[in-house]
Amino acid sequence: LLEKMADVSLKEAALIVGVVAACYWNSLFCGFVFDDVSAILDNKDLHPSTPLRNLFQNDFWGTPMSEERSHKSYRPLTVLTFRLNYLFSELNAVSYHFLNLVFHVVVCIVFLKVCKLFLDNRSSVVASLLFAVHPIHTEAVTGVVGRAELLSSIFFLAAFLSYTKSKGPDNAIVWTPIAVTVFLVAVATLCKEQGITVVGICCVYEVFIAQGYTLPALLDTAVQILRGKGSIPFSMLQTLLKLIVLIFSTLLLVVVRVQVIQSQLPVFTRFDNPAAVSPSPARQLTFNYLLPVNAWLLLNPSELCCDWTMGTIPLVESLLDVRNIATLTFFCFLGSLLVFSLRYPGDSSKTVLMALCLIVLPFIPASNLFFPVGFVVAERVLYVPSMGFCILVAHGWKKLSNKSVLRKISWVCLAAVLFTHALKTLHRNWDWESEYTLFMSALKVNKNNAKLWNNVGHALENEKNFERALQFFIQATQVQPDDIGAHMNVGRTYKNLNKTKEAEESYMIAKSLMPQIIPGKKYAARVAPNHLNVYINLANLIRANESRLEEADQLYRQAISMRPDFKQAYISRGELLLKMNKPLKAKEAYLRALELDRTNADLWYNLAIVYIELKDPTEALKNFNRALELNPAHKLALFNSALLMQESGDARLRPEAKQRLLHYVKEEPQDSNGYFNLGMLAMDDKKDMEAEAWMKKAIRLQPNFRSALFNLALLYSQTGKELMALPVLEDLLRYYPDHTKGLILKGDILMNQKKDIVGAKMCFEKILELDPKNVQGKHNLCVVYFEEKDLIKAEKCLVETLALAPHEEYIQRHLNIVRSKIASLGAMEQSSLPSDGTAATEAKKNSFQNLKEAKSEKTATQSTVDNKEHSKNKKPTEKSSVDKETPKKSTKEIKDIEKKRVAALKRLEEIERILNGE
C-alpha cells in the first residue's frame, strides 16, 4: 500500500512542471550576481584546463581547503555541474539558470513522492505546489550558487525514500536500501554539508514511524529493562542494529569532512555574524531570536533580502528586550507540536513529527547553535526546512477542508496563498537580474546593512559610475563607521576619481581600524584576510610618488609581518623593489610568494621580469615558459617571451616566437604591438611582403605608432621602394617632428632618389637644431654644401664634423678631397660625394639594421590582488613599452653588416678616385 501511495502520476508531474515554469521562466533572463561572481566567474575550477582533482581539493569558491581564507564549504559535486555548464556554454548565464530550474522541478516531484508517505494524495499535491511556488526559494533557484541546495535536496530526499524500503516482511532488515541510503547521504553531503542531516530523519522515521513507537512506550520499555523485569524485544534489537549502522556511517562521514577542512573552522569576522563574537547573554539571546525570524520568513515572505549580515538584525542584548517574546512564543509552539507528535499514536502525530524533523534537523548546521556560520540569516538554507513547513500547512489545510463549514473558505484561502506566492516569486526573480537591482531591492527592506550599501557601490563602480558609487560607499561608512572594507572602498573610488589626497585619508582611517597586534595571540584569527589589503592599497597609492617608495615598502613589510603567508604582499613588494632598482630583493620576494603558491602563472611571469632586469635572459625564458605551462593564454608571458626569443638572435627560436605572437594577437586582436613585432620577426627572416603586411596592420590599429611607421619606411628603403617610404616618413614626422632617424632617412631619399637638395638640407638642418652634435646629420649637411658647390662652406662643415668624431676616417678623407678640390679650382668636374654620409656611407656602411627600431619588452609585472570588499573583480595587468634600438644581433646578421661595410668602403674608394681625377 505504501509503495502504491508513493507513486507520482504523469498528471501530477506535469502540473508541477507547469507551475514551476510559470513562476521561474523569467529567471532565465537573470545574470550572475552576488556570490555567483566568486563561484562562477572567478572560479578557475570551472575551466577545462583545470585538473578535475582540484575540485576535490578546493572549496566551493575555488580556494584550496588548506588555505586559511577558505570558507571550508566543500561541495565538489555542485562545482562539477557548474563545470559541465561551462563546458557546453562557458559563461552564458541562461544555461546555468535553466539547469537550476530543472533541478527545482526534480526536487518538487521527489518531494511529492515523500509527501505521499504521510499525507493523502490531495494534501500531498498541495504541499508540493506550495513548496514549488514559495518565494523564499528564489535565492536557491534563481541564484546560481543556490544549486548546492537543489542538488543536495535531491539526494537528501532520495536517501530518505531509499531508507523507507529497508523494512521487509516480519520486520526483517533489508540491507540493500540501507547501503543505497548511506551512498546517497555521502553524495548529498558532497553537494552541500546539510545533506548529512537526513540520517537523523531516517533514525526518527525508523523508531516512530516504521516501528510505531511513541515516547511513553519507549520510556516504559526502558524502565522495565532497567528494573530487570524484561528483555529487549527482538524488533527493538533489529532497530538498534539499523540505527548503529546509520550512526556509524554518519560518524565516518563526519571524520572525513573534518579531515577535509584539516580540523580548521573558517575565519569569519564580526561584520559577517555580529552575534557570534558577542558576549553572553547577547550571543545566546540573539541566536535564539533568529529562529522565530526564520519561521516568520516562511510564514510571511513579503520582505526578502539577499544579505542579512552586519546590522540587519540588531543584537538582543537584554532579557527585557521585547523581541524575547517572539522567541518564547516560537519555542512554546514548537514544544507543543513536539509533545503532540511524540506522545500520541496515530497518522496525524506521525505526519507532524516528520514535518518537524524536516524543519529542525536540516536547519541545525545553519542555526549557529553548535558552531558559528558566516551569516545571520540566509534564505537559501530554508530550502529543505520549508518542506516540513509545507507538509504542516497541507496537513492543517486537510483538517480544515474536511469540516463542511470551512471547506469553501479553506479552498479560497489555499488558492489565494498559492496565487500570491507565485506572483511574489515571479516578481522577486527580477530582483536577481543584475547586482544593482538585487542590492537596491535589499536596501528597500533593510537600510542598516553597510554591506548592501557597499555592494550597490560596487555595482555602480563596475559601470564606471564612480561619482554615484562614492555616495553609496560613504553611506556605508556612516551606517557602520568601523567597517574597514567600506573605508577601503571609499579610498579606492577617490583614487579612481584622481583624488589622491582624499584616497589616502580614507585608507588611513581603514588602517587605524585594524586590530592591533597582541603578543602571543594569532593575528589572522581576528581579521578578515582581505582587510589586510588596506596596506597593499595604501602602498600602491603612495608609491606613485617617487619620494615615498621607502614608505610604501614599509607598508608591504608591515602586512607581511602580520601574515607571513600573505602572498599578495610579496607580489606587490616585488613590483615595488623592481621599481626601486633592487632586482635581487624583488627576486627574494617572488621566490617567497612561490613557496606559498607554485601554481600562480603571474608569479612565474613576474620572476621572469626580474631575471630580465638581472640580465639573465635564459632564466627569464625558463620562467616565462613555466607561466605558460600553467596558463597557456597568459598574454604578457606570450608577448614578452616572444620578444626575448627574437632579441636573443637565435634563428632557431624565431618559429616559436612567431607562434607565441600569433597566439598573442589572437588573444589581443586590438593590440598593435603584437602585429608590429610579427613584422620585426618577418624583417629578420627577410620576408619583406609579410613584414610589410604586419606593419601596415599595426599602423591601422595605431596610426601614430612611432616604431611601426619608421620600420615600414626603412623596409621600403631596403627593398628599393624608396618613393613609397616618403609618405610613411611624412606621417612619422607629422606625429614626431624630432624623430632623428626618420629625418636622416628622409633626407637620404630626397638627396639620392628625388635629387631634392633643398628638402634634404631642411631635414639635416632640423637634426642639428635638435642635436648639434649629431655626426651623421652634420656630415650629411656637409654633403649638401658640396652638392651646392659651396666648397668653402663644405670644408668648414667637415672640419667641425671631424672635431665631433676625430676617429672617423671617412670624414678626414672627404675633407682632404674637398681641400684638394679647392686647391685645384681648374678641375671642377661634375662629381659628388655620396650622400651617405646619408645612406651611401653611414647608413649603408652600418647597414639598415642599425636604423631598425624595436618595441621594448612589456616588462611591467603582473598584479593579482583583488582589493574590493564584498564584491570581486577581475585582475588588472600593466603594460609599458618604449622605443629603443635592437640590442642584439645574430652572427649571420653581423657577417651581413661586415659585407655591406666592405662594399661601401670599396664604393667610397671609387668615388674618391673620381674626385681626385684619377
Side-chain angles (χ1 to χ4, degrees):
L1 180 64
L2 197 68
E3 286 292 324
K4 188 175 180 182
M5 286 291 290
D7 286 338
V8 176
S9 70
L10 191 60
K11 285 183 180 179
E12 291 167 339
L15 176 64
I16 289 171
V17 170
V19 168
V20 171
C23 288
Y24 285 100
W25 63 268
N26 56 340
S27 70
L28 301 178
F29 299 96
C30 297
F32 294 116
V33 296
F34 204 17
D35 289 339
D36 298 346
V37 176
S38 302
I40 310 295
L41 300 182
D42 296 340
N43 193 346
K44 291 181 180 178
D45 287 348
L46 271 63
H47 301 170
S49 57
T50 303
L52 272 174
R53 66 174 179 274
N54 284 25
L55 272 65
F56 296 90
Q57 296 171 350
N58 298 343
D59 67 13
F60 188 51
W61 318 97
T63 306
M65 294 291 288
S66 57
E67 290 193 12
E68 188 178 352
R69 64 191 176 95
S70 168
H71 281 208
K72 312 300 180 187
S73 44
Y74 189 65
R75 303 162 192 171
L77 296 186
T78 304
V79 179
L80 184 61
T81 65
F82 292 151
R83 186 168 171 134
L84 290 172
N85 270 121
Y86 188 92
L87 187 65
F88 289 106
S89 64
E90 294 195 349
L91 295 176
N92 180 2
V94 175
S95 74
Y96 293 80
H97 287 293
F98 178 74
L99 199 53
N100 271 26
L101 195 152
V102 170
F103 286 143
H104 184 52
V105 168
V106 173
V107 173
C108 293
I109 292 172
V110 179
F111 176 57
L112 174 58
K113 196 173 177 71
V114 170
C115 289
K116 289 190 176 189
L117 298 175
F118 312 109
L119 296 168
D120 59 29
N121 256 2
R122 189 172 62 185
S123 301
S124 297
V125 172
V126 167
S128 184
L129 288 176
L130 182 58
F131 179 80
V133 303
H134 203 296
I136 202 76
H137 299 154
T138 50
E139 184 171 335
V141 181
T142 309
V144 177
V145 294
R147 186 177 299 177
E149 315 289 338
L150 307 176
L151 281 172
S152 180
S153 299
I154 291 171
F155 295 107
F156 179 102
L157 295 174
F160 176 69
L161 285 171
S162 176
Y163 187 80
T164 60
K165 299 174 183 177
S166 64
K167 181 181 175 182
D170 300 323
N171 211 25
I173 300 174
V174 184
W175 289 106
T176 301
I178 295 175
V180 171
T181 297
V182 171
F183 171 75
L184 290 172
V185 169
V187 173
T189 307
L190 289 174
C191 294
K192 192 177 181 186
E193 298 79 358
Q194 70 183 29
I196 200 169
T197 59
V198 71
V199 172
I201 294 172
C202 291
C203 290
V204 173
Y205 173 84
E206 177 65 33
V207 174
F208 296 101
I209 309 299
Q211 301 302 327
Y213 293 116
T214 59
L215 191 59
L218 282 175
L219 291 174
D220 285 344
T221 305
V223 168
Q224 293 295 328
I225 293 169
L226 288 173
R227 288 178 177 175
K229 293 183 180 179
S231 59
I232 301 175
F234 180 70
S235 61
M236 190 173 284
L237 286 173
Q238 286 184 308
T239 300
L240 283 173
L241 180 60
K242 290 169 77 173
L243 296 183
I244 288 168
V245 170
L246 277 178
I247 293 168
F248 178 78
S249 303
T250 305
L251 289 175
L252 193 63
L253 281 173
V254 170
V255 169
V256 171
R257 184 68 174 83
V258 170
Q259 287 296 315
V260 166
I261 67 171
Q262 302 183 358
S263 303
Q264 294 178 340
L265 286 174
V267 177
F268 297 116
T269 69
R270 60 191 176 86
F271 300 113
D272 298 314
N273 190 346
V277 294
S278 299
S280 298
R283 181 169 64 252
Q284 291 78 13
L285 291 175
T286 304
F287 283 155
N288 281 291
Y289 171 67
L290 294 179
L291 301 177
V293 169
N294 281 281
W296 182 249
L297 286 174
L298 289 174
L299 278 169
N300 178 29
S302 59
E303 293 189 338
L304 299 177
C305 181
C306 63
D307 193 312
W308 295 79
T309 56
M310 302 188 88
T312 305
I313 299 176
L315 295 173
V316 181
E317 297 180 295
S318 166
L319 289 169
L320 300 177
D321 193 309
V322 70
R323 289 175 293 174
N324 289 320
I325 297 173
T327 306
L328 194 61
T329 303
F330 171 78
F331 277 110
C332 287
F333 181 70
L334 188 68
S336 61
L337 286 176
L338 200 59
V339 169
F340 168 76
S341 61
L342 291 175
R343 186 170 181 178
Y344 302 105
D347 291 342
S348 182
S349 60
K350 290 178 181 178
T351 301
V352 171
L353 178 62
M354 291 313 299
L356 289 176
C357 285
L358 279 168
I359 292 172
V360 174
L361 294 178
F363 186 73
I364 286 175
S367 66
N368 283 289
L369 297 177
F370 297 99
F371 49 84
V373 293
F375 53 84
V376 179
V377 172
E379 292 163 14
R380 62 183 176 275
V381 302
L382 293 173
Y383 190 76
V384 176
S386 69
M387 295 177 184
F389 171 77
C390 292
I391 289 174
L392 274 182
V393 171
H395 183 57
W397 174 83
K398 183 182 78 169
K399 294 286 187 185
L400 292 173
S401 64
N402 284 341
K403 296 180 180 180
S404 57
V405 180
L406 300 173
R407 184 175 294 122
K408 287 184 179 179
I409 295 175
S410 65
W411 276 101
V412 169
C413 290
L414 175 65
V417 167
L418 290 175
F419 182 70
T420 54
H421 276 42
L423 278 182
K424 173 66 177 176
T425 297
L426 190 67
H427 182 263
R428 175 67 173 153
N429 288 334
W430 289 122
D431 291 342
W432 292 80
E433 185 177 11
S434 69
E435 294 211 316
Y436 180 77
T437 56
L438 178 64
F439 298 127
M440 285 301 289
S441 72
L443 280 176
K444 292 174 185 175
V445 175
N446 170 35
K447 291 181 170 59
N448 296 321
N449 186 341
K451 193 173 176 182
L452 294 174
W453 292 99
N454 277 317
N455 282 336
V456 175
H458 287 311
L460 292 166
E461 188 180 32
N462 290 337
E463 296 171 2
K464 307 299 181 188
N465 191 345
F466 297 122
E467 292 286 356
R468 277 200 70 203
L470 183 61
Q471 295 172 13
F472 282 90
F473 289 142
I474 290 173
Q475 183 64 33
T477 64
Q478 292 170 355
V479 169
Q480 188 91 33
D482 58 350
D483 182 5
I484 297 170
H487 290 287
M488 289 170 66
N489 292 336
V490 171
R492 187 183 61 255
T493 310
Y494 274 130
K495 183 184 177 184
N496 288 331
L497 292 169
N498 296 317
K499 296 182 179 179
T500 308
K501 182 182 176 183
E502 291 88 344
E504 185 172 347
E505 288 172 359
S506 296
Y507 285 141
M508 290 302 292
I509 294 171
K511 182 171 173 282
S512 69
L513 292 169
M514 295 289 284
Q516 298 302 306
I517 296 175
I518 301 172
K521 189 168 182 181
K522 194 175 180 184
Y523 185 85
R526 300 180 298 114
V527 65
N530 56 1
H531 284 173
L532 280 171
N533 283 326
V534 67
Y535 294 96
I536 307 300
N537 292 2
L538 184 56
N540 289 347
L541 180 72
I542 66 176
R543 78 183 197 185
N545 185 339
E546 294 289 336
S547 65
R548 301 181 71 183
L549 297 182
E550 288 293 344
E551 188 181 344
D553 189 34
Q554 177 63 32
L555 285 165
Y556 291 135
R557 283 185 278 131
Q558 191 174 352
I560 290 167
S561 70
M562 290 176 172
R563 281 183 66 100
D565 62 344
F566 190 16
K567 178 178 64 180
Q568 186 54 49
Y570 292 105
I571 294 171
S572 297
R573 185 168 184 243
E575 295 170 5
L576 177 67
L577 290 168
L578 272 179
K579 187 175 182 179
M580 296 169 72
N581 198 26
K582 296 179 180 179
L584 287 173
K585 286 190 175 181
K587 177 183 169 184
E588 288 176 17
Y590 287 133
L591 288 173
R592 179 73 183 92
L594 280 167
E595 288 175 18
L596 300 170
D597 182 6
R598 299 189 68 81
T599 62
N600 189 320
D602 293 334
L603 280 175
W604 291 104
Y605 169 82
N606 289 356
L607 189 58
I609 298 303
V610 171
Y611 279 114
I612 287 175
E613 293 295 321
L614 292 170
K615 313 297 182 193
D616 190 345
T618 305
E619 280 300 314
L621 190 56
K622 285 181 184 177
N623 285 285
F624 279 138
N625 291 340
R626 287 295 299 272
L628 290 169
E629 285 171 15
L630 292 166
N631 180 8
H634 194 292
K635 298 170 189 175
L636 292 181
L638 285 168
F639 185 88
N640 285 305
S641 62
L643 285 192
L644 205 58
M645 291 174 175
Q646 182 181 357
E647 292 181 358
S648 70
D650 189 344
R652 293 171 299 178
L653 294 177
R654 283 184 200 156
E656 177 61 23
K658 182 178 180 180
Q659 288 306 311
R660 292 189 183 186
L661 285 172
L662 287 170
H663 191 168
Y664 176 78
V665 297
K666 184 180 178 183
E667 296 288 333
E668 286 285 343
Q670 297 304 309
D671 187 358
S672 55
N673 291 296
Y675 301 106
F676 167 74
N677 283 285
L678 280 166
M680 296 297 287
L681 268 177
M683 286 179 74
D684 290 340
D685 288 333
K686 313 300 181 203
K687 297 177 180 177
D688 299 332
M689 291 180 66
E690 186 181 329
E692 180 185 354
W694 289 125
M695 292 294 183
K696 283 182 174 178
K697 191 155 189 176
I699 293 166
R700 275 199 300 274
L701 288 170
Q702 186 183 338
N704 65 339
F705 196 156
R706 175 187 175 112
S707 297
L709 286 165
F710 178 77
N711 281 287
L712 179 59
L714 184 61
L715 177 66
Y716 285 142
S717 181
Q718 282 179 312
T719 54
K721 300 175 182 176
E722 288 88 349
L723 297 182
M724 290 179 69
L726 276 178
V728 180
L729 288 168
E730 292 290 349
D731 288 341
L732 172 67
L733 294 170
R734 186 172 72 253
Y735 290 117
Y736 308 101
D738 58 348
H739 196 290
T740 305
K741 292 179 182 178
L743 287 165
I744 288 173
L745 187 56
K746 182 182 176 184
D748 173 51
I749 294 171
L750 291 174
M751 173 78 79
N752 292 321
Q753 304 299 321
K754 299 273 286 185
K755 306 303 179 186
D756 181 358
I757 296 172
V758 176
K761 185 177 181 180
M762 289 172 65
C763 290
F764 301 138
E765 286 175 342
K766 175 72 173 175
I767 292 168
L768 294 177
E769 282 177 24
L770 298 167
D771 179 12
K773 294 184 178 181
N774 187 292
V775 175
Q776 196 172 352
K778 184 84 171 174
H779 176 266
N780 289 357
L781 186 59
C782 300
V783 175
V784 169
Y785 294 149
F786 185 88
E787 290 289 341
E788 290 177 340
K789 303 193 177 3
D790 191 342
L791 297 181
I792 301 300
K793 208 167 185 180
E795 180 191 21
K796 182 184 176 184
C797 178
L798 285 166
V799 168
E800 292 171 357
T801 308
L802 188 61
L804 293 173
H807 303 296
E808 292 289 354
E809 292 182 14
Y810 74 92
I811 299 174
Q812 182 64 60
R813 284 200 301 275
H814 290 175
L815 178 59
N816 292 338
I817 292 169
V818 170
R819 283 174 174 170
S820 174
K821 281 289 184 183
I822 293 170
S824 55
L825 289 174
M828 296 292 291
E829 295 152 282
Q830 289 288 325
S831 64
S832 63
L833 279 172
S835 67
D836 216 32
T838 59
T841 54
E842 193 60 18
K844 287 193 171 75
K845 175 180 174 184
N846 294 318
S847 92
F848 287 108
Q849 284 295 102
N850 279 351
L851 284 175
K852 251 194 203 182
E853 289 190 358
K855 211 71 170 168
S856 74
E857 304 99 329
K858 295 184 180 180
T859 56
T861 50
Q862 179 115 347
S863 174
T864 59
V865 70
D866 188 319
N867 295 326
K868 283 191 180 179
E869 295 296 310
H870 313 307
S871 178
K872 296 193 177 156
N873 235 354
K874 291 204 169 188
K875 300 183 204 176
T877 54
E878 302 171 21
K879 296 182 183 178
S880 67
S881 53
V882 294
D883 292 339
K884 68 176 185 181
E885 299 287 333
T886 305
K888 295 182 181 179
K889 309 208 180 292
S890 66
T891 306
K892 182 176 180 296
E893 288 173 327
I894 292 168
K895 287 179 180 178
D896 288 343
I897 291 168
E898 288 303 318
K899 286 178 184 178
K900 289 178 180 178
R901 281 180 177 167
V902 171
L905 287 171
K906 283 183 179 178
R907 183 178 170 192
L908 190 58
E909 288 171 4
E910 290 172 5
I911 291 167
E912 287 170 355
R913 281 198 297 274
I914 293 168
L915 290 173
N916 288 324
E918 294 177 6

